[in-house]
Amino acid sequence: LIGISNRDKFRLRWYSENKQLGMSPNQIRAELKYRRNSLGGKNVFEFTKEQSKEIVGSHFRLPSHMLEDLQDEISLPGYFFNCSPVIQVCYCRDYYIDEAGVRLTVDKQISFSDCCFSKPKNIHWQPFTKSVVEVKYSPILSSHANILLSGLPLRTVRNSKYVSGAAVLGDCTYL
């Protein structure tokens, strides 16, 4: 919540046209996002379809053997081992990339759900009224990205879909 400059975030991600958790995602990815001062990145591991089914069957609580695999594959820190899902975020994303490699994403139709549920079909989605535009680029493309962005009517703000979702669900205040 406070924007610590050195931090890690672990999440499960999948792509689906259906918000229903009970609908099995095709393939789940584990992502360890990290930030070290002003630079960030992520390590990604793709589970097999069989592993994805096992994850869905366990209500997205990863079995210990999968966590141990992730420790090796994406350098997952041990402090994530005792964690449980907290929030589910669903959105539609438009994705753009220029010839130099500057990426722009527009996340819209964002909604959030609490993960403390007993039956996936009982999920209640809470809509978020804003869209999120993110620009991502290698540090060596900074001047190119600044030129591209200078003509757009955007203002730079810090944003976290996780924290926005916690606020929408009433778990914190996000100013």
Side-chain angles (χ1 to χ4, degrees), residues 62-131:
L62 296 179
S64 60
H65 69 277
M66 287 186 191
L67 288 167
E68 290 165 6
D69 289 345
L70 292 175
Q71 199 168 24
D72 294 334
E73 295 289 336
I74 63 171
S75 303
L76 183 69
Y79 53 78
F80 283 111
F81 279 38
N82 294 320
C83 294
S84 294
V86 175
I87 192 169
Q88 185 178 358
V89 182
C90 182
Y91 51 90
C92 295
R93 173 171 278 179
D94 293 332
Y95 188 85
Y96 306 92
I97 188 166
D98 82 341
E99 66 284 346
V102 175
R103 301 176 313 275
L104 183 133
T105 59
V106 181
D107 297 342
K108 54 193 177 188
Q109 299 173 20
I110 303 170
S111 56
F112 304 101
S113 176
D114 189 332
C115 282
C116 299
F117 53 84
S118 56
K119 296 187 177 167
K121 292 182 181 178
N122 293 340
I123 293 174
H124 299 288
W125 291 98
Q126 299 295 322
F128 187 57
T129 57
K130 298 178 182 176
S131 294

Side-chain angles (χ1 to χ4, degrees), residues 42-72:
K42 67 180 165 183
N43 299 330
V44 178
F45 176 80
E46 299 231 3
F47 291 104
T48 65
K49 289 185 181 190
E50 293 76 26
Q51 289 171 316
S52 296
K53 287 179 185 176
E54 184 179 353
I55 293 167
V56 171
S58 68
H59 297 282
F60 295 86
R61 286 168 180 81
L62 296 179
S64 60
H65 69 277
M66 287 186 191
L67 288 167
E68 290 165 6
D69 289 345
L70 292 175
Q71 199 168 24
D72 294 334

Side-chain angles (χ1 to χ4, degrees), residues 28-47:
I28 296 174
R29 297 167 47 157
E31 297 181 352
L32 178 67
K33 291 186 72 172
Y34 56 87
R35 175 153 307 276
R36 302 295 178 260
N37 299 316
S38 62
L39 299 177
K42 67 180 165 183
N43 299 330
V44 178
F45 176 80
E46 299 231 3
F47 291 104

Side-chain angles (χ1 to χ4, degrees), residues 143-175:
S143 59
H144 174 69
N146 288 333
I147 292 167
L148 286 176
L149 297 174
S150 66
L152 296 177
L154 301 173
R155 63 185 172 103
T156 303
V157 295
R158 294 171 64 139
N159 181 69
S160 163
K161 283 189 282 290
Y162 171 79
V163 177
S164 295
V168 166
L169 296 171
D171 295 330
C172 74
T173 302
Y174 189 37
L175 303 175

